[in-house]
Amino acid sequence: MNENDTTDHGTSTSLVPASDAGTERLPASLIRGVDQFENPGLPPHVHRAADDDPAAAKRAERQVATMFGLSMLATLVFLVSYFAIPDEATFFFPGIGIAKTQNVVLGLSLGFAIFLIGIGAVHWAKTLMSDEEIVEERHEQASTPEQRAKAVAVVNEGVASTQLNRRPLLKYSLGGALGLFALPLGLQVAGSLGPTNIEELKHTIWDPKDNGGKPIRLMRDPEMTPIRFDEVTFGSVFHVMPETLQKYIDEGKHVLEAKAKAAVILIRLDPDLIKVQKAKDWGVDGAVAYSKICTHVGCAVGLYEQQTHHLLCPCHQSTFDLTEDCAVIFGPAKRPLPQLKITVDDAGYLVAPSGFAEPVGPSFWERAR
Amino acid sequence: MSTINETRPADALRSGDRQADERASATKPLGGIAGWMDDRLGGAKGVSFLAKKVFPDHWSFMLGEIAMYSMIVCLLTGAFLTFWFVPSASQVVYDGSYVPLQGVTMSDAYRSTLGISFDIRGGLLIRQIHHWAALIFVVSVFVHMARVFFTGAFRKPREINWVFGTILSLLACIEGFAGYSLPDDLLSGTGIRAMNGFIQSAPVIGSYLSYFIFGGAFPGEAIIPRLYSAHVLLIPAILVGLFTAHILLVFLHKHTQFPGPGRTNKNVVGYPLLPVYIAKAGGFFFIVFGVIALISAVVTINPIWAYGPYDPSPITAGSQPDWYMGFADGALRLLPGFLEFETFGFTWSMNIFPGSLVLLPLMWTIIGVYPFVEAWVTGDKREHHLLDRPRNAPTRTAIGIAGISMYVVLFLAAGNDLMAIKLHLSINDITQTLRVLFFVAPPIAFWITKRICLSLQRADRQKVLHGRETGTIWRHADGRFEEIHAPLTPDERWVLVQHEAHEPLELTAGKDANGVDSPIAGKERLRAKFSNFYFRDRVAPATPSELEAAHHEHDDHAAVPDGGHEAIEPAGASQERETIKADKQHG
């Protein structure tokens, strides 16, 4: 930077090229002196073989026609194959595996029918059409000052004719009407897109109120059969849904909405490995149940590493430590997976007496309220 | 310059031909249907103008064409798919011909997609072409953008078209996302599940947004039809409209061209639309379409039947979005969880929100405003129709590569699980490394790129001043060895010397007469700093006097045997030719 601030340049601040300070002020920092090369102009055109040699031109014509001919042949193959190849036919495609014959044959014939037209056309252009480049002049995009002045005059005349400037009442009432008319449309779409029931985000069908206040049995997903505690051996993993889901399945309504929050994973490990007393207390002799919905963005936390007792979400690799009450030990999730308190009922089945103590799934603004 | 109507010897082949129909003769005034049309539309004036419109030729100009053609393929095959696809989330029991899923409850969307794949003859092919064309569309849009960026084609008067293109590329990604979410298979459903999580992460309005978009609780039955109308109507309408404007502006501005002999900022050199460009570009459409069809014939993409229907409970390992959403997914994998916090009981999901809802608009805004930033820094108000060779704009090129390096880090992060499995590495190590690289890679990439550009510029100077290395080694009588350098032809040289090397702007007076900062001094100071950042490392193109000096130097010490220079002086160099003044600044 030029620290030459004392030079008297008046009060204006300006930027000039370093080597050009004080001389001509170009908008860009460019100095093109006389010492520069000149544009040598267009090189002379070099004839191609087909320009001079009738035999070469004839050959090119034949090549192009051959491609177009092969294209027609490929089209024919497509038309015949469409009817001739049965839907269920498969074959072994070397290097790829078992492939659906119909898809491969139809695709290849269609592909070649189209591709060869393109190759033929380009070959034609490159060998037979004139390859001499031509020159077109450019003109500045901007209109001339006269054109601009004329445009301004025309617009001004039009505006004057509307009397907008003389009649402010018209100007402001029109502005108001135009400004407001979009509101009904905006309100209609925003207001009617969907019902909002934010409290619903905090609710799962593990809530005993959904079961007449009775504890809810843990069911295998997707078989929907109850799980006896003595079937839960050490090291086993169960994908679990609540008994209350059956009602939704029977009615065929809102099944996925219910499942999206109710999915639970049940794992039994050595109780001594569980380091958190609450986690132990909410389980049954090392069998613990946690929400399977990731606290990051809601994928199912489906990967259980039996050796390390880690639960891993395959979407963004958030890792939860089962021995630490499913605290996050790696990845983008912040909160532990919520635990579902379970006990054993009189018949020996696992039940959840009280539902989740906190909202499951991804974070949202009102989650902790 | 000769005209294009020059007779060529090969035309003799056709000299004996007779016009099949005299009425079709080009010399006759318009008749028949063409005449009828012209009576009503007056198109003949435009035809002669359009037919002679010049398009310069360069392989990199085809990238935008690939984007255009693959988009057309998408529109065509997409229209086909709408005949069979049912955009409904209602649950049905599958009874189609794919045995493993018979009897399974699934959405109508998934059932109809299975139907297209197994029960509609050729339907799988159309679906595959549609998906492949979409992938190729987005990749070609990005590569085309990179070409425009690195050659400076976005400069005045094309800034508006750059902004259009930027919006187009964002829309292309969103359109792709909406499209691959439609089949409602386990993978795409998991994608929508994650999208719901993204939306919920928005501060204050997240929960409401989620309920608005999904029409109630996730997943609901509204999202599939809504994505469908966005995918087949809303976004394509905007895409096609903007794309048309994009092409019209190319016509209006005339295409940019690479520097070369005879090419100036005031002309455009190339082939006329009719017939050469029509044949090449039209032929290229068939090549692009054909290649996409060939790929679709043999390479399966998105085998939705293998994933099963969407269900919030199961999941597959290795869940990745389509490639163009990879960088956003990668950002989500890299953001550490501790960024989430609560104030007054409200949750700020800063481990999700920046990567999901902020990243895309932010990135595209930065891309969109770049031309205006650069124009402000250079203070350059002129039109630019000659492209920059990337090396001649080292800072811009380095900024571009730094941005790409950031993008690549995020993209790699989206595959951290796959890398861990295939390379037997710890996923935690990979993630940590990428977290560091996100911040470290861009400055390194910037520095390396800039150094390479400057070196290439110096190499260009060397080549101009001392000629091209011929690989021929002379042994002198006294035992010295010397490699012979062949001087460049004026044509070869011109490409290496035609460019402008900006100098940094300098602040001449930041204070007024009383030593007080003038009001705009701060802004101008900033501009000078930026200008310095852009242009302080500068390699000026070689000049004739430098070349002259270099020649003398050679003659002084290099007693090359007789005719050393003359013998390899290329033919044509001495030829008389119309030279064009280097009048790139003004007219």
Side-chain angles (χ1 to χ4, degrees):
Chain A
M1 281 246 326
N2 188 359
E3 293 301 324
N4 195 11
D5 278 348
T6 51
T7 48
D8 187 14
H9 277 269
T11 55
S12 71
T13 305
S14 62
L15 292 168
V16 296
S19 64
D20 198 32
T23 59
E24 189 194 6
R25 279 174 51 194
L26 288 170
S29 54
L30 290 164
I31 314 99
R32 298 279 291 187
V34 283
D35 186 20
Q36 53 184 276
F37 287 98
E38 286 197 338
N39 192 326
L42 270 188
H45 176 241
V46 181
H47 280 199
R48 296 160 300 184
D51 290 336
D52 300 326
D53 178 7
K58 190 80 197 161
R59 193 162 58 241
E61 182 185 3
R62 273 199 307 271
Q63 287 163 343
V64 172
T66 306
M67 308 220 203
F68 291 158
L70 286 174
S71 161
M72 287 190 265
L73 197 67
T75 302
L76 207 65
V77 171
F78 184 98
L79 296 178
V80 172
S81 316
Y82 182 85
F83 297 104
I85 299 177
D87 289 341
E88 61 284 349
T90 55
F91 77 109
F92 182 76
F93 198 116
I96 288 178
I98 304 285
K100 195 175 171 185
T101 314
Q102 205 179 59
N103 189 62
V104 173
V105 175
L106 292 184
L108 289 179
S109 55
L110 177 70
F112 278 116
I114 299 170
F115 179 70
L116 286 166
I117 295 177
I119 291 288
V122 171
H123 192 57
W124 182 358
K126 285 181 97 91
T127 53
L128 292 170
M129 294 179 193
S130 168
D131 76 330
E132 267 189 279
E133 294 185 309
I134 59 173
V135 178
E136 195 180 331
E137 294 302 310
R138 289 183 193 275
H139 308 284
E140 287 246 333
Q141 276 321 311
S143 313
T144 61
E146 297 79 51
Q147 288 166 324
R148 286 188 180 195
K150 195 178 163 198
V152 169
V154 167
V155 171
N156 283 343
E157 197 186 334
V159 172
S161 164
T162 63
Q163 306 188 3
L164 264 185
N165 291 331
R166 286 202 295 129
R167 301 187 190 282
L169 186 61
L170 279 182
K171 185 153 75 179
Y172 294 124
S173 57
L174 175 68
L178 285 179
L180 292 176
F181 97 99
L183 281 182
L185 295 173
L187 175 66
Q188 195 283 324
V189 71
S192 313
L193 272 174
T196 52
N197 186 0
I198 306 304
E199 284 308 304
E200 195 184 46
L201 279 174
K202 302 178 182 174
H203 175 262
T204 74
I205 56 171
W206 285 103
D207 189 339
K209 272 183 256 164
D210 288 16
N211 200 29
K214 293 198 297 285
I216 295 168
R217 275 186 180 168
L218 278 66
M219 312 290 263
R220 288 181 185 83
D221 178 34
E223 297 86 352
M224 290 302 286
T225 51
I227 304 167
R228 288 184 62 86
F229 176 62
D230 50 27
E231 295 168 323
V232 185
T233 52
F234 283 103
S236 61
V237 180
F238 287 79
H239 296 277
V240 173
M241 282 291 165
E243 184 185 3
T244 41
L245 182 70
Q246 191 60 50
K247 181 172 66 112
Y248 292 85
I249 295 174
D250 294 343
E251 289 172 5
K253 272 185 188 161
H254 304 300
V255 180
L256 296 184
E257 289 80 354
K259 282 180 109 173
K261 280 177 294 180
V264 159
I265 191 160
L266 170 73
I267 297 163
R268 189 165 181 198
L269 63 167
D270 183 349
D272 295 337
L273 287 171
I274 301 175
K275 295 171 196 152
V276 179
Q277 192 57 42
K278 173 224 121 188
K280 255 187 224 181
D281 294 346
W282 285 20
V284 183
D285 193 28
V288 283
Y290 284 91
S291 166
K292 209 168 85 175
I293 307 303
C294 187
T295 56
H296 181 225
V297 289
C299 297
V301 183
L303 303 180
Y304 176 56
E305 298 177 349
Q306 216 156 23
Q307 304 302 317
T308 57
H309 309 293
H310 291 167
L311 275 166
L312 183 82
C313 177
C315 282
H316 304 96
Q317 284 73 48
S318 293
T319 312
F320 304 88
D321 189 346
L322 211 58
T323 64
E324 294 277 7
D325 196 19
C326 275
V328 180
I329 54 163
F330 193 79
K334 165 75 182 279
R335 293 176 293 104
L337 293 172
Q339 189 178 7
L340 181 70
K341 188 177 181 182
I342 54 172
T343 56
V344 182
D345 70 5
D346 300 339
Y349 291 107
L350 285 173
V351 292
S354 52
F356 283 104
E358 58 178 311
V360 302
S363 299
F364 51 97
W365 182 247
E366 306 87 346
R367 198 193 77 88
R369 297 287 283 190
Chain B
M1 234 181 46
S2 52
T3 67
I4 52 158
N5 296 322
E6 184 189 18
T7 0
R8 292 165 295 158
D11 289 344
L13 270 183
R14 289 273 161 270
S15 60
D17 291 3
R18 206 165 42 82
Q19 287 288 353
D21 183 349
E22 286 299 326
R23 273 176 308 170
S25 165
T27 54
K28 287 204 81 174
L30 278 180
I33 293 174
W36 188 91
M37 294 286 278
D38 190 59
D39 286 346
R40 279 143 192 89
L41 304 170
K45 292 164 277 201
V47 166
S48 41
F49 164 74
L50 274 182
K52 283 283 163 263
K53 194 143 181 68
V54 170
F55 282 87
D57 225 17
H58 190 269
W59 66 264
S60 69
F61 299 164
M62 294 198 309
L63 297 166
E65 282 185 59
I66 298 178
M68 170 163 79
Y69 298 146
S70 45
M71 187 185 81
I72 294 170
V73 173
C74 276
L75 290 171
L76 189 71
T77 50
F80 277 38
L81 291 175
T82 60
F83 299 149
W84 306 293
F85 178 71
V86 183
S88 159
S90 341
Q91 300 289 303
V92 293
V93 176
Y94 181 68
D95 60 353
S97 61
Y98 184 62
V99 178
L101 288 175
Q102 279 168 2
V104 173
T105 304
M106 57 180 63
S107 68
D108 221 357
Y110 186 58
R111 183 198 58 75
S112 59
T113 313
L114 288 172
I116 291 171
S117 307
F118 293 105
D119 301 313
I120 308 291
R121 194 165 292 179
L124 178 61
L125 180 66
I126 299 296
R127 230 198 89 222
Q128 304 266 287
I129 293 178
H130 190 68
H131 203 125
W132 272 117
L135 294 178
I136 291 170
F137 174 48
V138 189
V139 79
S140 52
V141 165
F142 280 8
V143 180
H144 168 65
M145 272 178 102
R147 195 281 293 171
V148 170
F149 179 84
F150 287 114
T151 58
F154 54 77
R155 290 172 297 172
K156 187 182 173 186
R158 296 182 178 77
E159 304 98 321
I160 303 171
N161 225 14
W162 171 261
V163 173
F164 282 179
T166 306
I167 302 171
L168 277 171
S169 68
L170 178 60
L171 285 176
C173 291
I174 298 171
E175 173 72 350
F177 177 82
Y180 78 68
S181 296
L182 286 177
D184 202 27
D185 55 283
L186 184 56
L187 185 62
S188 73
T190 303
I192 297 180
R193 176 50 149 156
M195 182 183 91
N196 180 50
F198 303 159
I199 295 165
Q200 280 188 16
S201 74
V204 187
I205 55 167
S207 320
Y208 290 93
L209 265 187
S210 165
Y211 269 78
F212 281 153
I213 290 172
F214 285 84
F218 169 86
E221 297 205 342
I223 190 68
I224 296 287
R226 282 179 186 181
L227 279 174
Y228 183 72
S229 75
H231 181 73
V232 306
L233 181 72
L234 206 57
I235 304 173
I238 306 173
L239 259 178
V240 170
L242 264 181
F243 155 77
T244 311
H246 198 68
I247 293 291
L248 283 177
L249 281 185
V250 172
F251 268 79
L252 179 74
H253 291 141
K254 300 191 173 85
H255 207 289
T256 50
Q257 59 190 351
F258 274 97
R263 285 147 173 81
T264 73
N265 207 32
K266 302 202 62 82
N267 72 9
V268 50
V269 181
Y271 298 115
L273 188 65
L274 191 74
V276 180
Y277 203 74
I278 289 266
K280 278 191 175 176
F284 194 51
F285 166 72
F286 287 91
I287 291 177
V288 170
F289 193 174
V291 168
I292 293 173
L294 293 175
I295 295 173
S296 308
V298 291
V299 190
T300 304
I301 183 89
N302 201 20
I304 47 111
W305 54 88
Y307 308 141
Y310 178 62
D311 183 318
S313 174
I315 187 98
T316 53
S319 296
Q320 258 83 14
D322 269 6
W323 77 267
Y324 41 84
M325 283 292 166
F327 77 101
D329 200 52
L332 287 160
R333 293 174 189 221
L334 292 190
L335 280 163
F338 65 75
L339 292 174
E340 180 174 299
F341 61 93
E342 281 175 18
T343 49
F344 307 110
F346 291 113
T347 306
W348 297 83
S349 298
M350 289 304 140
N351 54 340
I352 305 169
F353 184 60
S356 57
L357 299 183
V358 176
L359 179 69
L360 263 79
L362 179 71
M363 189 172 126
W364 263 272
T365 306
I366 292 172
I367 295 173
V369 300
Y370 181 81
F372 305 98
V373 173
E374 194 188 289
W376 179 72
V377 171
T378 57
D380 192 344
K381 304 262 192 292
R382 300 162 306 158
E383 291 188 2
H384 289 277
H385 304 291
L386 276 176
L387 296 172
D388 279 330
R389 299 169 77 220
R391 70 184 61 174
N392 291 336
T395 306
R396 178 204 297 146
T397 304
I399 289 174
I401 297 292
I404 288 176
S405 75
M406 218 171 209
Y407 179 91
V408 166
V409 169
L410 294 180
F411 186 77
L412 289 177
N416 60 355
D417 51 341
L418 298 181
M419 280 193 279
I421 292 167
K422 302 275 181 204
L423 304 174
H424 303 287
L425 292 169
S426 149
I427 191 160
N428 302 9
D429 292 346
I430 294 175
T431 309
Q432 294 288 18
T433 309
L434 289 172
R435 278 173 181 165
V436 173
L437 274 179
F438 179 77
F439 295 101
V440 173
I444 295 177
F446 179 89
W447 186 81
I448 292 177
T449 310
K450 194 165 170 190
R451 292 341 286 182
I452 290 175
C453 286
L454 293 169
S455 301
L456 286 170
Q457 281 187 289
R458 289 197 190 95
D460 283 352
R461 270 181 66 87
Q462 283 293 316
K463 215 167 161 186
V464 170
L465 298 178
H466 306 294
R468 170 174 52 82
E469 291 174 3
T470 58
T472 309
I473 310 287
W474 286 88
R475 187 179 172 187
H476 294 259
D478 57 4
R480 281 187 299 125
F481 288 93
E482 191 186 32
E483 184 175 10
I484 300 302
H485 287 237
L488 302 179
T489 65
D491 288 356
E492 289 168 336
R493 186 174 61 215
W494 174 246
V495 177
L496 307 182
V497 299
Q498 47 74 35
H499 62 282
E500 303 162 334
H502 286 265
E503 287 185 56
L505 299 164
E506 294 231 355
L507 209 54
T508 51
K511 296 166 193 282
D512 66 15
N514 302 321
V516 180
D517 281 343
S518 56
I520 52 166
K523 199 174 139 202
E524 293 297 273
R525 240 183 251 279
L526 183 70
R527 185 167 166 188
K529 277 203 180 102
F530 268 112
S531 181
N532 191 44
F533 167 73
Y534 261 75
F535 302 121
R536 69 170 165 241
D537 297 311
R538 174 174 180 271
V539 179
T543 62
S545 51
E546 282 174 320
L547 181 63
E548 191 65 21
H551 271 304
H552 284 303
E553 198 186 322
H554 275 284
D555 294 342
D556 287 349
H557 77 258
V560 175
D562 278 349
H565 278 286
E566 273 71 17
I568 27 185
E569 188 80 33
S574 54
Q575 209 174 311
E576 278 296 315
R577 238 197 287 149
E578 176 195 1
T579 54
I580 297 170
K581 287 258 182 265
D583 55 352
K584 284 183 279 124
Q585 284 99 322
H586 308 285

